[in-house]
Amino acid sequence: VLETREEILSRYTGGEDNVNALCASDRGEVHFQVDCTQLRSSLPSHDYDAFVFNFPFADATSNPDQGFSTRHVAVGRHQELLRAFLESARDVHVSPHDTNSDRNKDITVLVSILAHQAISWDIEQVGLDVGFAITDMFPFHERLYRSLGYRRRRSYSDDTFRQLAPGYATNVV
C-alpha cells in the first residue's frame, strides 16, 4: 500500500485487524509506502512473480491543478496509473541483468476493479500497450468477503460507497 502502516491503522476502521491478518498470512507479503509506479525503488529486492492491485484509484490530490473536471480526465488518469503500474511490475519481474529465460517467465497481476471501470478504462488495451494480456476475468463477489469484515471504502474519508456496483477481478499475465 502507498500509505504507512500508521496511516492505515488511524485512517480505516478495522485497519489494524486487516493489517495483522495480512501480515500473518503465509500467502504473500505486505509492504507499506510502496509507489506502484516505482516498484523497483519502493520494494525490497526479492523475486516477485505476482502482484495484487485492489481497486486502483488515481488520487485527485496528487496534482491539484488537474481536478476531476471531466470524465475524460478521470479515465485518462486511471489509465495512466494502470499503465505505469504494469510497466513497473514488469520491470521488477525482469532483472536488470536479465537473460532470455528471465524474459519468458510469467508474471501474474491481479487487478480488482468495478465492471464499468474495466470498460471505460479499457483495461485490455492498457495491458496490451505494455505487453500484458488478460487471461481471465471473474466476478468479485463482495458479499463473500463481507463475512471476513470486508467493506468497500473511499480512500481518504473511510466512508463506504453509497451504491454497490458489481466488481470484477481481472487477471493479466
Side-chain angles (χ1 to χ4, degrees):
V1 296
L2 181 60
E3 297 91 351
T4 66
R5 182 184 183 112
E6 294 72 28
E7 287 172 325
I8 295 291
L9 300 182
S10 68
R11 183 174 294 150
Y12 300 105
T13 307
E16 185 170 8
D17 292 338
N18 291 338
V19 167
N20 291 339
L22 288 168
C23 289
S25 170
D26 61 354
R27 299 185 69 200
E29 296 178 15
V30 178
H31 299 283
F32 299 92
Q33 292 185 288
V34 174
D35 178 346
C36 74
T37 67
Q38 302 293 322
L39 292 172
R40 189 177 297 279
S41 61
S42 293
L43 288 172
S45 281
H46 289 300
D47 190 15
Y48 297 99
D49 58 5
F51 294 92
V52 177
F53 198 174
N54 285 324
F55 302 103
F57 177 68
D59 186 359
T61 61
S62 62
N63 185 350
D65 296 332
Q66 209 178 27
F68 279 101
S69 57
T70 67
R71 183 176 173 272
H72 177 73
V73 170
V75 166
R77 187 176 293 133
H78 285 89
Q79 287 174 322
E80 286 306 311
L81 174 65
L82 287 172
R83 185 174 288 109
F85 164 66
L86 291 171
E87 288 173 343
S88 185
R90 182 195 60 216
D91 292 346
V92 163
H93 181 65
V94 177
S95 153
H97 312 291
D98 67 1
T99 64
N100 286 335
S101 63
D102 287 337
R103 290 181 188 267
N104 294 324
K105 286 195 267 181
D106 283 339
I107 180 174
T108 299
V109 179
L110 179 70
V111 179
S112 300
I113 56 178
L114 301 177
H116 71 278
Q117 291 169 329
I119 295 165
S120 66
W121 299 356
D122 197 4
I123 190 169
E124 185 172 14
Q125 187 61 54
V126 169
L128 287 171
D129 289 348
V130 294
F132 283 85
I134 293 178
T135 60
D136 199 6
M137 190 176 294
F138 47 91
F140 178 85
H141 295 290
E142 187 170 341
R143 289 183 182 160
L144 295 175
Y145 293 92
R146 284 196 191 149
S147 64
L148 302 172
Y150 175 82
R151 288 187 325 158
R152 191 181 323 161
R153 297 176 177 272
R154 296 183 186 276
S155 289
Y156 291 103
S157 65
D158 196 31
D159 183 24
T160 58
F161 283 92
R162 290 175 197 24
Q163 66 182 37
L164 296 177
Y168 284 86
T170 304
N171 193 29
V172 295
V173 175

